[in-house]
Amino acid sequence: QNPKKHLRHPLTEVGSRLAMPQKPGASKTKKSVAKRFKVTGTGQLLRRKQGRRHLLIKKNAKRKRRLAQATTVAAVDVPRIKACLPFA
């Protein structure tokens, strides 16, 4: 018997997982990217700096303050990130 027969929505198989059918050309927001980046009013992308998660005792206060500030994403990475954020 087909295990998908009794399910409410027709599912398409993708690799070893089941996925909901999607319209051709329809794009979805990558939620992992949406949580990491913010789009400003002028269209720039902001990101957090790396290095402020752990091992903070050895870093001086000035360095930790600078690491706390957001910075813009490099121009070479912008098209790849914006492709993951179709509604931003």
Side-chain angles (χ1 to χ4, degrees), residues 46-88:
L46 295 179
R47 66 168 177 87
R48 290 182 57 104
K49 293 181 183 175
Q50 58 91 21
R52 197 168 185 257
R53 288 281 182 185
H54 60 97
L55 304 175
L56 298 174
I57 292 175
K58 64 172 83 172
K59 298 170 187 166
N60 61 32
K62 181 179 178 180
R63 183 173 168 192
K64 287 186 275 192
R65 276 195 308 274
R66 279 189 291 115
L67 291 173
Q69 298 170 349
T71 187
T72 56
V73 174
V76 70
D77 296 325
V78 169
R80 188 161 35 100
I81 295 168
K82 284 201 172 182
C84 296
L85 301 170
F87 303 104

Side-chain angles (χ1 to χ4, degrees), residues 28-35 83-86:
K28 288 182 163 183
T29 299
K30 282 277 193 184
K31 298 308 256 183
S32 59
V33 176
K35 292 170 189 174
C84 296
L85 301 170

